[in-house]
Amino acid sequence: MTSGHFPIIRMRRNRYDAWTRRLVAENRLSVDDLIWPVFIIEGSNIVTEVGAMPGVYRVTLDRLAAHVAPVVALGVPAIALFPATPSELKDAEGTESGNPQNLICRATRLLKQEFPHVGLVGDVALDPYTDHGHDGVIRGDYVANDETLSVLTRQSVNQADAGIDIIAPSDMMDGRVAAIRGALDAAGHSHVRIRSYAAKYASAFYGPFREAVGSGSALKGDKKTYQMDPANSDEAMREVALDLAEGADMVMVKPGMPYLDIVRRVHERFGVPTFAYQVSGEYAMIMAAGRNGWLDQERAMMESLLAFKRAGAAGVLTYFAPAAAKILRGS
Ligand code: PBG
């Protein structure tokens, strides 16, 4: 640490001009830090915008390759797939999640063929598949932990069989990482990674996402018996420690911006690849303010993404991935 006082010390010297600022910059965002969440729907020749997420689309599989090609060309390393399941395929047990012909599996096979070098992330949780909108199965009026695990393991193996590279359990059931790791290994998928949503909070910021995948209107009640209380931070450390002990290769904090303190603590304490999910509501806020002329959308976007790096994130899941990658590539 330097010591000294003004006027010998002038902090502004290192901010004097652009090249100095570039030289002393401590953190930098790169295209390699971005994971792009993509919404897929059944049908043909449909590209529809998500209501509260201007610039974010739900696309049918025949349009998927064209939709992602420009983003792949910019070098975004990985895509996270989020299916909207038609309501007639939903049931109380989330059965469709284990169907090898379900939407995410077909999308995975298609993308692996078109873009073999792009990482594919599969969200694992039952909410896109249950008619009650919860991430697990319900026994009595409780989202049952242990009964849900067997459905999640089937879902995980099903996705891995289709070619998913990273299984991302977002369900917050206890013991799911160990169960999924065991099932993947038994099925010959020892190389498939697990990036757990280790600290996932019961958040209002998921609203636009639930509209996009059609789980919001179905949802009865809330998710507070399994997703974390926004009041808690020490609890997140326990969640991360458990997921790592159970075999998680990477961990995630979600939402992102309101939880940067958690990202920082996880990164410092565990020193493992820590990701943040800049969720749908965070995207919606920046876009809405930008569209109203209340702030500079592009600058707010880049600043928010850099903030994740500063907090210690290895990377960010963000709906801004295409726009940010364009800027980072200078195109
Ligand atoms: C599913 C899931 C959710 C999100 C990602 N996976 C919603 C939820 O838990 O209700 C939210 C992502 C976003 O808001 O962008 N379990």
Side-chain angles (χ1 to χ4, degrees):
M1 261 320 145
T2 46
S3 61
H5 298 282
F6 176 83
I8 298 192
I9 303 296
R10 285 182 184 272
M11 294 302 288
R12 292 181 55 193
R13 279 191 209 107
N14 283 344
R15 304 172 198 144
Y16 188 73
D17 38 28
W19 65 262
T20 319
R21 293 192 293 271
R22 276 200 288 140
L23 271 178
V24 302
E26 297 175 41
N27 293 285
R28 217 173 295 277
L29 179 71
S30 105
V31 173
D32 296 335
D33 300 319
L34 304 173
I35 298 175
W36 184 33
V38 171
F39 296 115
I40 46 180
I41 50 172
E42 293 284 5
S44 62
N45 201 24
I46 304 170
V47 175
T48 79
E49 203 168 32
V50 179
M53 302 176 76
V56 172
Y57 298 89
R58 312 190 311 164
V59 303
T60 50
L61 296 190
D62 53 343
R63 301 287 293 266
L64 184 58
H67 184 60
V68 306
V71 186
V72 168
L74 289 167
V76 170
I79 288 172
L81 291 169
F82 290 97
T85 308
S87 50
E88 62 271 20
L89 294 177
K90 295 185 182 184
D91 62 19
E93 305 290 301
T95 312
E96 177 67 5
S97 65
N99 175 6
Q101 297 305 327
N102 70 17
L103 188 55
I104 188 170
C105 289
R106 280 179 283 134
T108 299
R109 288 190 290 266
L110 186 153
L111 289 177
K112 269 293 157 198
Q113 194 164 356
E114 293 278 333
F115 310 103
H117 302 300
V118 173
L120 295 182
V121 183
D123 212 69
V124 162
L126 300 185
D127 54 326
Y129 307 98
T130 50
D131 52 17
H132 46 70
H134 279 289
D135 293 26
V137 299
I138 295 177
R139 299 290 179 264
D141 57 3
Y142 189 65
V143 174
N145 195 87
D146 303 12
E147 291 85 343
T148 296
L149 295 183
S150 59
V151 194
L152 296 176
T153 55
R154 192 178 348 122
Q155 180 183 21
S156 302
V157 171
N158 186 39
Q159 291 186 6
D161 285 345
I164 285 287
D165 302 292
I166 299 180
I167 293 292
S170 70
D171 54 283
M172 291 300 279
M173 298 301 121
D174 288 320
R176 90 273 210 215
V177 173
I180 290 170
R181 184 72 270 161
L184 288 174
D185 288 355
H189 293 302
S190 57
H191 57 282
V192 170
R193 282 126 280 180
I194 296 177
R195 194 196 58 221
S196 71
Y197 291 74
K200 175 169 176 177
Y201 289 85
S203 173
F205 290 97
Y206 308 147
F209 173 96
R210 291 179 188 171
E211 177 206 329
V213 301
S215 66
S217 49
L219 183 62
K220 296 184 180 72
D222 58 48
K223 300 190 176 184
K224 290 179 186 172
T225 71
Y226 45 105
Q227 297 181 348
M228 284 180 56
D229 183 342
N232 297 350
S233 174
D234 289 340
E235 186 187 358
M237 301 305 110
R238 293 184 72 195
E239 285 282 6
V240 170
L242 283 167
D243 282 8
L244 291 171
E246 291 179 28
D249 302 286
M250 320 170 201
V251 294
M252 191 148 47
V253 174
K254 173 183 177 190
M257 290 195 292
Y259 296 85
L260 287 182
D261 58 318
I262 308 297
V263 175
R264 161 60 49 192
R265 279 192 81 186
V266 169
H267 173 69
E268 274 186 354
R269 170 153 343 177
F270 299 99
V272 296
T274 305
F275 288 78
Y277 197 147
Q278 184 179 49
V279 299
S280 55
E282 302 175 53
Y283 176 88
M285 286 194 301
I286 292 177
M287 290 302 287
R291 294 211 158 187
N292 262 308
W294 291 344
L295 51 68
D296 181 329
Q297 184 255 310
E298 239 173 45
R299 285 185 54 209
M301 162 180 87
M302 296 310 278
E303 183 178 330
S304 69
L305 293 172
L306 180 61
F308 289 110
K309 295 296 292 179
R310 193 193 60 241
V316 191
L317 275 91
T318 176
Y319 302 96
F320 286 127
K326 248 189 191 166
I327 291 174
L328 291 166
R329 292 278 182 226
S331 61

